């Protein structure tokens, strides 16, 4: 017989917890109303959203370590804003300059207007080594110049600017990459055809890809599936962990860094995320809607499985990483723009780290497929 005392007991939910849950849902709904149109429209509209969020994040990075006794020089704010923009938009700006110079110095283009394809160059995220070195030199010099600016502060700024800027750059990458993948497939096969070689796909498939790329439903819908897939994996992990922890949490996960997180919440968030993201992704790819053409599709279902398994762990790690930074400076939140829910960084910390994961793993998957193709 089972002892009744061994049954799983649901925690008593306090009025404060209920109020916090309702408040979270309201804030999430408002943010969704603002952000979702930018995600759907994509292109420069989404870039504008990334620009605003990255600047607000740079401000929060500068403000979080400060206190009544400790104030940073304004030059640190200016430099942080500049470096954030430079590193976030490095891939875009570099490709834009390269395209412009190629156009200007090609005689055949002399009388043609300059046009730029926004998807150019988004094969993988890129961090400028020069910008990173400049960033290190500046903050190490500030340690020597400003007595209130410590070496701990220098490493904080270098690390945070690097992680956050890479995170925002990979957000743009995830939104633009599906269209880039189709554009690349079209260009590659047309090049083979023009050289008299056999295309990797049929003419009918090539025409279908061209039509898809120009279809408004794809541009404002399916091209955002990779980004939505990533957000779903991250947000469901957070929501699942919060609900499971609130109802069943008893064992603290890491009280030194995040006192409210529990082992039960951590496990619940992972299970929720894996089940929902796999259901979402497989429902799409097995009904003819690949998340990424030629990569995250029906044929390569195992890549989707790997990503869905990794996302909740990386998302939880990202949350704990940013919580560790806040605890190090003894602040509850990075900012107050969302009132009791903190700042921009408090809401996107897991999203940024998870997007970095996908920004690294997608080029890796492409390389694996390239090697397989060569060895056939």
């Amino acid at each position: 017989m089972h002892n009744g005392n061994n049954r799983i007991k649901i925690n008593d939910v306090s009025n404060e917890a209920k109020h916090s849950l309702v408040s979270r849902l309201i804030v999430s709904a408002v943010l969704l109303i603002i952000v979702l149109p930018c995600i759907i429209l994509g292109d420069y509209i989404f870039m504008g959203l990334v620009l605003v969020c990255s600047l607000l994040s740079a401000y929060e990075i500068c403000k979080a370590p400060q206190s009544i006794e400790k104030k940073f020089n304004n030059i640190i704010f200016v430099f942080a804003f500049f470096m954030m923009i430079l590193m976030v938009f490095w891939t875009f700006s570099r490709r834009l300059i390269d395209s412009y110079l190629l156009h200007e110095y090609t005689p055949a283009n002399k009388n043609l207007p300059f046009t730029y394809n926004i998807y150019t160059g988004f094969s993988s995220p890129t961090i400028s080594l020069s910008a990173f070195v400049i960033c290190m030199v500046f903050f190490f010099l500030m340690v020597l110049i400003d007595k209130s600016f410590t070496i701990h502060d220098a490493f904080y700024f270098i690390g945070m600017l690097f992680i956050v800027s890479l995170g925002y750059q990979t957000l743009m990458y995830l939104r633009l990459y599906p269209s880039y993948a189709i554009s690349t497939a079209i260009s590659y096969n047309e090049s083979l055809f023009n050289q008299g070689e056999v295309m990797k796909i049929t003419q009918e498939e090539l025409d279908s890809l061209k039509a898809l790329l120009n279809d408004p439903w794809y541009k404002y819908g399916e091209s955002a599936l990779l980004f939505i897939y990533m957000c779903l994996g991250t947000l469901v992990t957070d929501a699942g962990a919060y609900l499971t922890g609130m109802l069943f949490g008893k064992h603290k996960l890491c009280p030194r860094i995040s006192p409210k997180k529990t082992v039960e919440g951590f496990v619940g968030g992972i299970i929720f995320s894996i089940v929902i993201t796999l259901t979402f992704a497989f429902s799409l790819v097995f009904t003819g809607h690949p998340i990424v053409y030629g990569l995250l599709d029906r044929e390569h279902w195992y890549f989707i499985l790997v990503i869905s398994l990794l996302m909740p762990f990386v998302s939880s790690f990202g949350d704990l990483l940013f919580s560790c930074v806040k605890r190090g400076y003894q602040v509850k939140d990075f900012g107050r723009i969302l009132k009791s829910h903190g700042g921009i960084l408090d809401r996107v910390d897991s999203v940024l780290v998870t997007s970095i994961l996908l920004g690294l793993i997608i080029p890796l998957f492409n390389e694996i497929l390239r090697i397989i193709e060569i060895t056939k």
Side-chain angles (χ1 to χ4, degrees):
M1 295 179 61
H2 292 286
N3 189 338
N5 294 328
N6 292 330
R7 291 182 301 175
I8 297 175
K9 294 182 179 180
I10 298 177
N11 297 335
D12 293 327
V13 182
S14 65
N15 289 331
E16 181 183 355
K18 293 178 181 177
H19 176 74
S20 176
L21 177 60
V22 172
S23 181
R24 274 173 171 253
L25 292 174
I26 293 172
V27 171
S28 299
V30 172
L31 289 176
L32 190 64
I33 292 171
I34 296 172
V35 172
L36 188 58
C38 298
I39 295 173
I40 292 172
L41 293 172
D43 291 358
Y44 293 102
I45 302 295
F46 184 72
M47 280 191 170
L49 175 67
V50 170
L51 174 62
V52 171
C53 290
S54 61
L55 289 176
L56 289 172
S57 298
Y59 177 78
E60 291 175 358
I61 289 171
C62 295
K63 288 291 291 184
Q66 296 192 93
S67 62
I68 296 175
E69 299 81 15
K70 184 174 184 176
K71 299 290 183 183
F72 291 141
N73 194 304
N74 287 336
I75 193 174
I76 291 177
F77 282 79
V78 174
F79 184 80
F81 289 145
F82 171 74
M83 292 306 300
M84 181 67 75
I85 295 173
L86 177 63
M87 291 194 286
V88 169
F89 293 95
W90 173 252
T91 298
F92 174 77
S93 57
R94 188 185 65 173
R95 297 297 183 184
L96 175 61
I97 294 171
D98 288 345
S99 296
Y100 178 76
L101 293 176
L102 180 63
H103 175 272
E104 289 299 305
Y105 289 97
T106 302
N109 296 332
K110 184 173 292 185
N111 298 321
L112 297 176
F114 171 69
T115 58
Y116 179 70
N117 184 350
I118 193 174
Y119 304 106
T120 302
F122 276 92
S123 57
S124 63
T126 307
I127 286 291
S128 168
L129 180 60
S130 300
F132 185 67
V133 170
I134 291 170
C135 193
M136 288 194 300
V137 170
F138 172 83
F139 286 115
F140 288 151
L141 284 176
M142 289 302 300
V143 174
L144 301 177
I145 296 171
D146 189 345
K147 293 181 180 179
S148 65
F149 194 82
T150 66
I151 191 67
H152 184 272
D153 296 325
F155 280 110
Y156 161 79
F157 274 98
I158 294 168
M160 286 296 289
L161 285 173
F162 176 78
I163 293 171
V164 174
S165 63
L166 181 58
Y168 278 118
Q169 186 185 135
T170 50
L171 286 182
M172 289 195 300
Y173 168 75
L174 296 180
R175 181 59 186 87
L176 296 172
Y177 182 75
S179 296
Y180 168 83
I182 291 181
S183 298
T184 302
I186 293 172
S187 300
Y188 175 66
N189 284 281
E190 285 183 335
S191 176
L192 291 176
F193 179 79
N194 293 333
Q195 295 172 12
E197 299 180 24
V198 179
M199 294 192 298
K200 299 296 182 181
I201 58 178
T202 64
Q203 184 63 49
E204 183 181 354
E205 289 173 324
L206 181 61
D207 293 338
S208 177
L209 287 180
K210 290 181 179 179
L212 180 63
L213 197 59
N214 295 318
D215 186 351
W217 172 249
Y218 176 81
K219 183 176 182 180
Y220 303 116
E222 289 192 31
S223 67
L225 287 178
L226 176 60
F227 188 89
I228 294 171
Y229 173 53
M230 181 277 298
C231 289
L232 191 65
T234 304
L235 299 179
V236 170
T237 301
D238 182 54
Y242 183 80
L243 290 173
T244 309
M246 182 174 64
L247 294 174
F248 306 105
K250 290 181 173 60
H251 303 89
K252 299 297 181 182
L253 177 65
C254 194
R256 183 174 60 86
I257 295 174
S258 189
K260 293 184 178 181
K261 286 182 171 50
T262 63
V263 175
E264 292 82 0
F266 173 73
V267 174
I270 288 172
I271 293 173
F272 269 96
S273 178
I274 292 173
V275 170
I276 290 178
T277 55
L278 284 177
T279 303
F280 172 79
F282 285 157
S283 297
L284 288 169
V285 300
F286 284 101
T287 54
H289 302 281
I291 297 175
V292 177
Y293 172 79
L295 185 68
L296 301 182
D297 53 13
R298 183 171 182 170
E299 183 182 355
H300 306 99
W301 59 269
Y302 43 86
F303 285 155
I304 296 173
L305 178 62
V306 171
I307 292 176
S308 291
L309 290 174
L310 287 176
M311 277 198 295
F313 290 97
V314 175
S315 174
S316 300
F317 171 76
D319 192 7
L320 288 172
L321 174 64
F322 279 74
S323 294
C324 186
V325 172
K326 288 185 285 186
R327 296 298 172 266
Y329 279 102
Q330 298 182 344
V331 294
K332 182 178 181 294
D333 298 307
F334 280 104
R336 305 294 296 173
I337 192 171
L338 301 175
K339 304 299 181 182
S340 60
H341 293 273
I344 296 297
L345 282 176
D346 297 293
R347 298 280 67 82
V348 302
D349 48 8
S350 299
V351 172
L352 293 178
V353 177
T354 308
S355 70
I356 292 174
L357 164 71
L358 266 68
L360 294 174
I361 205 169
I362 287 175
L364 175 62
F365 287 164
N366 279 320
E367 186 63 20
I368 291 172
L369 292 180
R370 189 186 69 84
I371 293 172
I372 293 173
E373 182 68 22
I374 292 174
T375 55
K376 277 184 179 179

